[in-house]
Amino acid sequence: TVGFLSGVPQNWGNGGSLKNQGFDVTVNAHLVARKNWNWSVGFGLGHYVNELTSLPDSQSYLDTEILGATVRSQIGGSINTFYGYRTNGVYATTEEAQAAGLYFMDDTGRKSYFGAGDIRFMDLNGNGQIDEGDRTIIGDATPDAYGNIFTSLSWKKLTLDVGFNYSLGGDVFSYMRQQLESGSRFMNQTTAMLNRWTSEGQVTDIPKATYGDPMGNSRFSDRWIEDGSYLRLKTLTLSYRLPISNTYIQGITVWGQCNNLLTFTKYLGTDPEFSMSNHVLTQGIDRGYLSQGRSFHLGVKINL
């Protein structure tokens, strides 16, 4: 029937269902209202959760591969969670690695045992082998809360406007850090690689550098997942209204504005406020686009 209607063996359809719930709250307060002084503040808070409620063909989940990351959409959960391996540091000694006795099957079907300097992957299914059965949810790109904080302070004809924005709790897959800290190819790496494992007994969280990454130390894991929370001083505007009023001009305002002045974050990437695309499945994936730089503007507003 499908082929008869469309001329192709398959066609797209809305076979799943999704439920979104959340809220947006904004509070404004005028704290000072005097002849020469005025001061107002505001606070915005947003929160939402999405839940996948059904998929076609009796599927319980759907995996999408994006830049080496697995984005899992599972019934009963969010549609953009990161699905990968959990880690617990690096094997410091050969004895430690041998005691763990973990291995994975290489392309030839041979057991390859993890050794000193390799990532200590967590064997979640307890079979002694690091395989796809050990993958689990390692992050959620949906922030717990987001919004803005703003204030305006005026003295006579001089006004200072300050605006912050923030995001809390959203996880980020740092694709660029995965590329620049894998230690597996002949390409520039970050200075974090100076702390890579190089000798027996060395305690570090950066594995040894091995061309081709035969042990899969750089595979998609929580090693590349970071907290993308931030607080940013987004805009700072100072303006002065010249006391001019006549038949032709009802006022002139001279202003200067600074954008992206300060950012408070623990995220190691260039900018925690980014978007790979507007697709819901790519949220929280930092592909390494240029960050939002500081900018400075001057202007004049003439009211006629």
Side-chain angles (χ1 to χ4, degrees):
T1 302
V2 172
F4 176 76
L5 294 176
S6 64
V8 295
Q10 294 178 332
N11 62 355
W12 293 101
N14 292 320
S17 59
L18 177 70
K19 179 172 67 176
N20 286 297
Q21 291 181 318
F23 61 84
D24 283 288
V25 178
T26 301
V27 177
N28 294 288
H30 208 138
L31 302 180
V32 177
R34 296 183 179 179
K35 180 180 179 180
N36 292 326
W37 286 95
N38 282 275
W39 182 28
S40 62
V41 296
F43 176 78
L45 172 65
H47 168 77
Y48 76 94
V49 291
N50 62 64
E51 179 185 350
L52 185 64
T53 56
S54 69
L55 284 170
D57 303 324
S58 302
Q59 298 177 91
S60 60
Y61 66 87
L62 180 65
D63 287 342
T64 305
E65 300 295 323
I66 304 175
L67 297 179
T70 300
V71 179
R72 169 156 289 195
S73 303
Q74 187 165 354
I75 292 179
S78 174
I79 62 172
N80 54 347
T81 54
F82 297 124
Y83 189 74
Y85 295 89
R86 291 199 180 277
T87 64
N88 186 25
V90 170
Y91 292 113
T93 65
T94 300
E95 181 181 4
E96 180 185 6
Q98 289 177 345
L102 297 179
Y103 66 91
F104 80 98
M105 304 293 288
D106 63 19
D107 294 337
T108 65
R110 180 176 58 89
K111 292 182 179 179
S112 294
Y113 286 86
F114 293 93
D118 288 324
I119 288 287
R120 187 189 293 113
F121 292 103
M122 298 181 66
D123 181 21
L124 299 184
N125 59 13
N127 65 355
Q129 178 182 350
I130 300 302
D131 54 23
E132 291 191 353
D134 296 308
R135 295 188 300 169
T136 187
I137 301 299
I138 57 176
D140 188 342
T142 304
D144 297 326
Y146 60 91
N148 51 66
I149 305 169
F150 46 92
T151 184
S152 179
L153 178 64
S154 298
W155 176 68
K156 295 184 177 180
K157 300 185 183 300
L158 190 67
T159 301
L160 177 66
D161 294 300
V162 182
F164 291 85
N165 64 347
Y166 66 90
S167 177
L168 302 175
D171 292 317
V172 172
F173 164 45
S174 181
Y175 170 74
M176 290 306 297
R177 195 160 65 80
Q178 184 191 44
Q179 298 299 302
L180 299 176
E181 293 181 11
S182 66
S184 61
R185 291 181 291 172
F186 295 122
M187 60 185 295
N188 288 334
Q189 303 283 275
T190 72
T191 55
M193 291 301 294
L194 296 174
N195 296 322
R196 69 189 183 277
W197 187 94
T198 56
S199 60
E200 285 280 334
Q202 180 183 354
V203 178
T204 179
D205 58 354
I206 306 293
K208 59 188 177 184
T210 308
Y211 181 75
D213 193 19
M215 300 304 295
N217 288 321
S218 65
R219 71 185 71 183
F220 183 58
S221 69
D222 58 7
R223 182 183 170 196
W224 313 118
I225 302 298
E226 298 184 44
D227 181 4
S229 301
Y230 69 89
L231 171 66
R232 166 167 283 175
L233 176 53
K234 191 68 175 179
T235 59
L236 179 68
T237 306
L238 183 64
S239 59
Y240 181 76
R241 190 174 188 277
L242 298 174
I244 298 176
S245 180
N246 53 45
T247 304
Y248 305 102
I249 298 177
Q250 301 302 312
I252 297 178
T253 301
V254 180
W255 58 270
Q257 184 179 78
C258 307
N259 298 315
N260 303 316
L261 275 179
L262 294 171
T263 303
F264 304 94
T265 183
K266 293 182 179 180
Y267 179 55
L268 298 176
T270 57
D271 192 344
E273 185 183 9
F274 64 86
S275 178
M276 177 177 165
S277 75
N278 59 3
H279 197 290
V280 64
L281 294 180
T282 63
Q283 301 307 302
I285 299 179
D286 186 358
R287 192 176 184 176
Y289 292 124
L290 290 177
S291 61
Q292 302 179 65
R294 295 186 182 93
S295 61
F296 304 89
H297 307 270
L298 293 173
V300 177
K301 178 181 177 182
I302 301 175
N303 296 326
L304 301 177

